[in-house]
Amino acid sequence: MKWCHVPVGGHALLGVADAGGSVELLRLVRSEQNSYMLEPFSRFALEKRGLALSLDWSTGKAGRASDQPLKLISSDSNGQLSLLKVSEAGPGLQAVATWQAHHFEAWIAAFNYWQTEVVYSGGDDGLLKGWDTRTPPTSVFTSRRHSMGVCSIQSSPHQENVLATGSYDEHVLLWDTRNMKQPLADTPVQGGVWRLKWHPFRRHLLLAACVHGGFKVLNCQRAVEEKQEACTVALSHILPNALVYGVDWSWLYFHRLPQAQPLFPLGSFPCSDPGAKTADVVCNLKVKGQSPASSSDPLVDDGEGGTKLQGGGRLKAPCGSRLHASRLQICDCDLYLEAANFDINLLATCSFYDHVLHLWKWDSS
């Protein structure tokens, strides 16, 4: 499941690839009780009977041009890719092209967010492929650099030409899309890499679901800027008796305020100054007091309420702990956040065997 990054027809839109072999769109609408619900908007059935395995929106990068068509790419268990167009007025999903991409399951398909006519795919045949959707079904390139099935791909929404891929071979590869012969960096993560998610605001952080290897946060700054051969593992955590298949960042972030800085009234700081310095970048204060999750017991504990991590950070579940309003502000504005120094992040994982969705608070200060 993936949310579209832009409203469609005035609604938030959720894309779902399901085991019935369909891609479905659901709209978030307000109900009579002043709450929200998801209602069906459009459905597209894949050509051959099989499972829809992944989807990606063409809107992964902020600042989509108004004349840029809204598209989805999906992959399936028959090794096919399906390019779909989304009509904002109706009737919803329309097929643009379908083609055979892999010999076995096409585990993943993803857009190049900077050139949305280009898509990438990974399959159980161990191949990573690039495609120009204007001229399918001939691939632009085929890489055999991964030694097992390619399960995860995501183009960076922050840096053009940066691509991350993951595989059952337990490696995360970082690529410069202008040269797909050799990766920029090769990072072993001790687990099959089922999902990769770039941080929505901090351009160098990459979150990986590593199945039996738990989850990891990679800092890719030196790999990109200094040509370091591997990314730095900033956070690593294994969940006992569980396989981590899903991970994602929250788009809600906490920023620790200086001790002397007062807590300003709600909404008193719109993100309206593009020339503000790093220390001056502030957003609307939305919530104060308690963290978004609540529970009686922490999920992990090192005797001090958290797990000590590489790089000096600490990881703990937000359950049972309070974020003091006098020291923190919560931002939901997507402007100018990249320059801000966010030291507390929320992330979520979902795991197999234990059937648990975990919400984590990472204090990376």
Side-chain angles (χ1 to χ4, degrees), residues 128-204:
L128 168 66
K129 293 187 174 184
W131 309 88
D132 187 328
T133 58
R134 296 166 296 188
T135 58
T138 303
S139 60
V140 176
F141 71 84
T142 298
S143 172
R144 294 174 172 81
R145 182 60 176 74
H146 281 293
S147 60
M148 298 179 71
V150 179
C151 311
S152 51
I153 303 171
Q154 195 180 31
S155 171
S156 170
H158 310 295
Q159 296 171 282
E160 190 173 2
N161 305 314
V162 175
L163 182 73
T165 65
S167 166
Y168 283 136
D169 65 10
E170 305 188 356
H171 286 252
V172 173
L173 302 184
L174 212 61
W175 303 85
D176 184 329
T177 58
R178 295 166 294 186
N179 179 13
M180 295 299 293
K181 293 181 180 180
Q182 290 292 331
L184 287 173
D186 182 343
T187 309
V189 291
Q190 291 78 50
V193 187
W194 189 252
R195 282 293 175 265
L196 290 169
K197 295 291 179 71
W198 289 101
H199 196 294
F201 308 120
R202 302 177 69 175
R203 65 167 60 199
H204 298 297

Side-chain angles (χ1 to χ4, degrees), residues 18-22 44-53 75-80 82 98 100 105:
D18 65 35
S22 295
F44 177 83
L46 304 179
E47 287 186 357
K48 297 180 181 179
R49 185 177 179 180
L51 288 71
L53 296 177
S75 65
D76 63 42
S77 58
N78 295 310
Q80 289 190 323
S82 297
T98 299
Q100 194 70 36
E105 289 90 344

Side-chain angles (χ1 to χ4, degrees), residues 15 33 38 42 45 62 64 66 69 82 95 105 109 151 205 209 224 235 308 316 319:
Q33 291 77 28
L38 288 167
S42 183
R64 178 176 72 106
S66 58
S82 297
E105 289 90 344
C151 311
L205 294 185
V224 173
L235 181 157
K308 294 182 179 179
K316 60 182 177 181
C319 33

